[in-house]
Amino acid sequence: MDRLMKLITFWCGIACIVVIIMQCLWPGAILLALVITLGVVVYQLGMRLLIGNVVERCFPKRFSVDHGWFSVHPGEIKLYHCLKVKQWNKHLPTYDPDKYDVHKHSVEEIIQTMCCAELDHELMMVFSYLPVILIWWFGDPAVFIITSVVASLIELPFIVMQRFNRNRLVKIAKRKKKRSSWGVN
């Protein structure tokens, strides 16, 4: 997934540069629309790559899943059951499946990875709206608003998936901790 996303971002960036040059030589509405579309795609993909790297490197790996932002509330669990998250979450792609491998990482490490991934997707959701400021330069608010809304909504299932699965792993970790305190493995 990592390689594919980087390749798509790179080639869309190259195509955007080529179309910008063409737009400068032969100005027209179609080329301008293509520049805007490719530019927004490059931004949306590049921003996701950047945020993923920044969060992984800059934020602490010790998130508290019992308190605050990362705790899952009982109302959420009911919502997840209504949405049948357990049935569809396994069909979503994972950017780096190796980080969630139970043979390579402890349950606690995977829980922390899930917190980072949730934060990634939440930031991506917010930054998806940044292209809206380009309305002042290019006009055509519908293009920027629609692409920003669609791009942000794409993040929602990934946030739900992280919260749903993390809640399940937290329960497993608590049972494991309880057993080890009793001296049972």
Side-chain angles (χ1 to χ4, degrees):
M1 185 66 142
D2 174 50
R3 183 169 152 72
L4 177 64
M5 197 162 161
K6 287 176 181 173
L7 275 171
I8 292 170
T9 306
F10 174 79
W11 286 112
C12 283
I14 296 294
C16 187
I17 291 168
V18 169
V19 177
I20 287 171
I21 293 167
M22 291 171 62
Q23 170 67 17
C24 290
L25 296 173
W26 309 288
I30 293 174
L31 287 176
L32 180 60
L34 196 52
V35 166
I36 291 170
T37 303
L38 287 169
V40 169
V41 168
V42 169
Y43 167 75
Q44 293 291 352
L45 293 174
M47 173 267 297
R48 281 162 174 73
L49 289 169
L50 181 65
I51 285 177
N53 286 319
V54 167
V55 168
E56 189 173 304
R57 286 180 176 79
C58 296
F59 283 85
K61 295 287 185 185
R62 303 302 314 153
F63 292 102
S64 174
V65 295
D66 295 324
H67 305 289
W69 194 259
F70 296 107
S71 64
V72 178
H73 307 286
E76 274 184 84
I77 296 165
K78 290 177 185 174
L79 175 64
Y80 298 155
H81 287 293
C82 289
L83 294 172
K84 300 182 190 285
V85 175
K86 191 173 184 176
Q87 294 171 357
W88 56 259
N89 87 50
K90 58 186 160 250
H91 300 292
L92 290 176
T94 303
Y95 185 75
D96 188 356
D98 212 36
K99 291 181 179 180
Y100 300 93
D101 188 339
V102 293
H103 302 293
K104 296 179 182 176
H105 303 283
S106 69
V107 172
E108 290 78 14
E109 289 173 327
I110 295 172
I111 289 169
Q112 291 301 310
T113 298
M114 290 174 149
C115 289
C116 278
E118 179 187 335
L119 182 59
D120 284 350
H121 290 289
E122 289 164 347
L123 289 171
M124 290 171 195
M125 190 176 207
V126 170
F127 280 98
S128 292
Y129 290 96
L130 200 57
V132 170
I133 65 172
L134 296 174
I135 292 170
W136 285 285
W137 286 283
F138 294 103
D140 208 0
V143 171
F144 293 105
I145 292 170
I146 290 169
T147 56
S148 292
V149 169
V150 169
S152 73
L153 290 177
I154 287 170
E155 299 304 327
L156 203 51
F158 293 98
I159 294 167
V160 168
M161 175 183 68
Q162 294 300 335
R163 294 183 69 80
F164 174 78
N165 288 332
R166 187 176 61 244
N167 184 58
R168 295 166 64 201
L169 282 182
V170 166
K171 287 179 183 176
I172 290 169
K174 285 180 180 177
R175 274 186 293 203
K176 190 176 170 184
K177 191 174 183 178
K178 195 174 185 180
R179 275 194 217 139
S180 68
S181 70
W182 290 343
V184 179
N185 285 339

